[in-house]
Amino acid sequence: MRTEHMREKLVIKGGKPLKGNVTVSGAKNAAVAILPAVILCEGRCEIDNLPNIEDVRLIDYLLCKMGAKTQLNSTTMSIDASGVTEHIVDNDAVKLMRASYYLIGALLGRFGKAEVCLPGGCAIGLRPIDQHVKGMKALGAEVKAEFGMLKAYAPNGLIGTDIYLDVVSVGATINIMLAAVLAQGKTTIVNSAKEPHVVDVANFLNCMGAKVKGAGTDVIRISGVEKLHGCSYSIIPDQIETGTLMIAAAATRGDLTIENVIPTHMEALSAKLMEMGVRVEEGDDSIRVTCPNRPTHVSIKTLPYPGFPTDLQQPATVLLSTAEGASIIVENIFESRFKHINEIRRMGANVSIDGRMCVVEGVERLTGAPVRATDLRAGAALVVAGLMADGQTEISGVKYIDRGYDHIEGKLKSVGADIHREKMSDAEEYEFF
Ligand code: UD1
């Protein structure tokens, strides 16, 4: 794991339209579930199209600490988890990432018991895990949080059952799937999340021999099997990286073709961009975004898939900050997802916040400033702001961006952006920490 990212900043000289072709990496949110899911199988898995990001390196580190044999080569990973014999993960690294909660579902599924540090991750709201716990309890586990650990025990094994989720939760849907694939009998998850990465995880589990049906709808049916076997699997392209690049293309009034994408995953964003007057052309596995004119205002409400993704709300807000007219954004998923607004105000944006809603009055232009990323998608939003602003923007908190974006500055540079990474000075570090 690298820690020097804490001390780096991205420096962007804005105002250059993004032009050309750029390729999207594998989906972070699928990868961070699929890698822990390997714990469930007896055998070797070869995972391809992994994003080259900190979260993947962190899970690799944890799997190795737990006894798995792994070989990570930038976008591929070979994992044999048969050496994992311990159900307790008290490594502090768990707290660095929200998705470490998938270790609980995977260990509980394999051993009938799990003890894992309570998860960390981006501070974008309360982010409870009551629905994960509800699902595991319904499957027959005793679950309690104690001394900073979540402990789940099912001494008599897990038994399939019907589980109704009170909120549509990606994490709970996937975690319950992980726990249920080796349970006795049938499990039904009602009101499940339908995100593309939920489907990808289900496909991966099926590739290992699980019987999961209905992923991508709001009812998932799982028939428990005795054991799972190794397999080779290629992860889907990242929907959020795709969306961030589409927004960056529009924000810089560019002409960008984004490759290795699944256009149907992008429908909510494509529709909104077209409503703004941006041109979006879909190919089989590419999307071209052109934006010769100033976009017009729109209203956005974030919703579970196939609604507008909360992970693209922050970059979209930035794009709208220079659109014509006033846009209204309602954040329905996470209650604290407007932290980027204070930063873009420093760049000249005119935005007011009222609880879960913000009103963005479009200004003519943003101007570069030193700003700070407070979480992963806020960081991506500030990169978009830097690309569209006049003058120089310096973004600290790069470690958040590196958690989820594969070589963001290299990709942007290849399509015309003036962006590079620098070490922070002592004074900047002092201010930042
Ligand atoms: C996942 C994604 C994240 C994305 C989010 C929503 C990963 C690793 N992260 O996060 O990028 O922004 O989905 O698309 O895939 N909730 C509860 N109880 C629970 C679980 C969730 O009340 O037990 C609430 C949350 O507070 C939130 C909503 O449900 O308001 C959706 O959260 P969820 O889908 O679980 O998000 P994550 O899985 O954490």
Side-chain angles (χ1 to χ4, degrees):
M1 281 183 300
R2 293 172 63 194
T3 51
E4 67 266 30
H5 299 218
M6 304 277 281
R7 299 180 162 75
E8 290 173 345
K9 60 183 178 185
L10 287 174
V11 180
I12 305 174
K13 289 202 179 85
K16 303 200 166 33
L18 298 187
K19 288 194 171 155
N21 295 43
V22 62
T23 302
V24 163
S25 301
K28 164 192 168 279
N29 286 348
V32 297
I34 284 173
L35 296 178
V38 172
I39 292 171
L40 290 162
C41 101
E42 298 170 12
R44 180 171 287 280
C45 288
E46 310 285 342
I47 314 293
D48 189 22
N49 202 34
L50 280 167
N52 190 349
I53 55 173
E54 282 296 299
D55 274 12
V56 164
R57 288 186 279 277
L58 187 62
I59 298 176
D60 177 33
Y61 168 81
L62 285 170
L63 288 172
C64 290
K65 286 276 171 205
M66 291 165 71
K69 289 206 167 61
T70 72
Q71 203 175 354
L72 175 61
N73 295 318
S74 76
T75 59
T76 60
M77 191 162 162
S78 171
I79 315 167
D80 180 350
S82 48
V84 176
T85 50
E86 184 54 75
H87 68 284
I88 300 174
V89 190
D90 54 5
N91 194 303
D92 276 351
V94 169
K95 298 176 199 155
L96 296 174
M97 188 179 55
R98 174 84 180 154
S100 49
Y101 51 41
Y102 294 135
L103 291 171
I104 304 168
L107 288 168
L108 184 62
R110 172 151 164 196
F111 298 115
K113 52 190 177 179
E115 287 191 27
V116 180
C117 292
L118 285 162
C122 286
I124 52 178
L126 288 175
R127 307 189 86 177
I129 53 168
D130 57 302
Q131 298 304 304
H132 304 235
V133 171
K134 175 180 173 173
M136 289 174 203
K137 281 186 172 166
L139 290 167
E142 273 180 40
V143 187
K144 59 180 174 187
E146 204 174 59
F147 306 114
M149 305 283 282
L150 191 72
K151 302 180 177 179
Y153 278 84
N156 302 318
L158 297 172
I159 315 277
T161 187
D162 293 349
I163 300 162
Y164 176 85
L165 294 180
D166 301 324
V167 293
V168 179
S169 160
V170 169
T173 302
I174 293 177
N175 229 347
I176 295 168
M177 281 200 299
L178 299 186
V181 283
L182 292 175
Q184 280 176 54
K186 291 188 183 345
T187 300
T188 306
I189 311 171
V190 183
N191 199 27
S192 49
K194 296 180 276 201
E195 268 69 2
H197 43 286
V198 174
V199 180
D200 208 36
V201 176
N203 287 342
F204 171 66
L205 292 169
N206 287 341
C207 201
M208 292 197 296
K211 290 192 175 151
V212 181
K213 287 187 179 158
T217 75
D218 47 22
V219 181
I220 296 179
R221 295 178 202 283
I222 301 160
S223 299
V225 294
E226 291 258 314
K227 59 180 182 176
L228 301 178
H229 52 75
C231 70
S232 297
Y233 193 78
S234 187
I235 288 176
I236 52 164
D238 198 297
Q239 176 204 13
I240 305 304
E241 187 194 3
T242 307
T244 308
L245 289 165
M246 290 168 72
I247 290 171
T252 58
R253 318 290 186 253
D255 179 354
L256 196 61
T257 300
I258 304 152
E259 295 174 338
N260 182 37
V261 306
I262 300 178
T264 48
H265 292 170
M266 305 312 305
E267 276 167 2
L269 175 65
S270 297
K272 272 296 153 197
L273 288 175
M274 288 192 265
E275 215 180 305
M276 291 178 210
V278 177
R279 202 160 158 201
V280 180
E281 294 163 73
E282 291 180 0
D284 289 340
D285 62 355
S286 66
I287 297 182
R288 182 178 177 196
V289 177
T290 36
C291 184
N293 303 312
R294 186 178 182 191
T296 48
H297 64 103
V298 293
S299 295
I300 291 177
K301 287 184 182 157
T302 62
L303 289 169
Y305 188 83
F308 193 94
T310 172
D311 285 352
L312 291 176
Q313 174 267 112
Q314 290 150 304
T317 313
V318 171
L319 168 62
L320 290 168
S321 70
T322 63
E324 220 165 332
S327 301
I328 295 176
I329 322 268
V330 181
E331 172 52 64
N332 286 311
I333 310 291
F334 292 113
E335 60 271 29
S336 309
R337 224 169 189 184
F338 286 140
K339 289 186 183 155
H340 61 301
I341 302 275
N342 262 344
E343 303 302 304
I344 60 168
R345 278 184 184 139
R346 291 150 67 90
M347 301 174 73
N350 181 0
V351 188
S352 52
I353 305 174
D354 183 5
R356 283 175 177 261
M357 188 185 83
C358 76
V359 179
V360 186
E361 294 276 356
V363 294
E364 284 280 332
R365 63 188 186 122
L366 297 185
T367 50
V371 289
R372 172 195 290 228
T374 51
D375 60 77
L376 169 59
R377 307 301 172 187
L382 294 178
V383 170
V384 173
L387 292 170
M388 68 201 273
D390 289 350
Q392 180 160 308
T393 298
E394 298 190 359
I395 306 169
S396 53
V398 178
K399 63 163 185 161
Y400 294 110
I401 303 172
D402 289 335
R403 277 194 43 215
Y405 287 85
D406 182 347
H407 292 109
I408 193 162
E409 73 267 35
K411 288 192 186 187
L412 291 171
K413 220 185 254 182
S414 74
V415 288
D418 186 339
I419 176 170
H420 67 274
R421 194 177 281 250
E422 270 180 23
K423 286 230 173 310
M424 283 161 75
S425 67
D426 289 347
E428 285 168 330
E429 265 187 49
Y430 180 75
E431 207 179 305
F432 182 71
F433 291 107

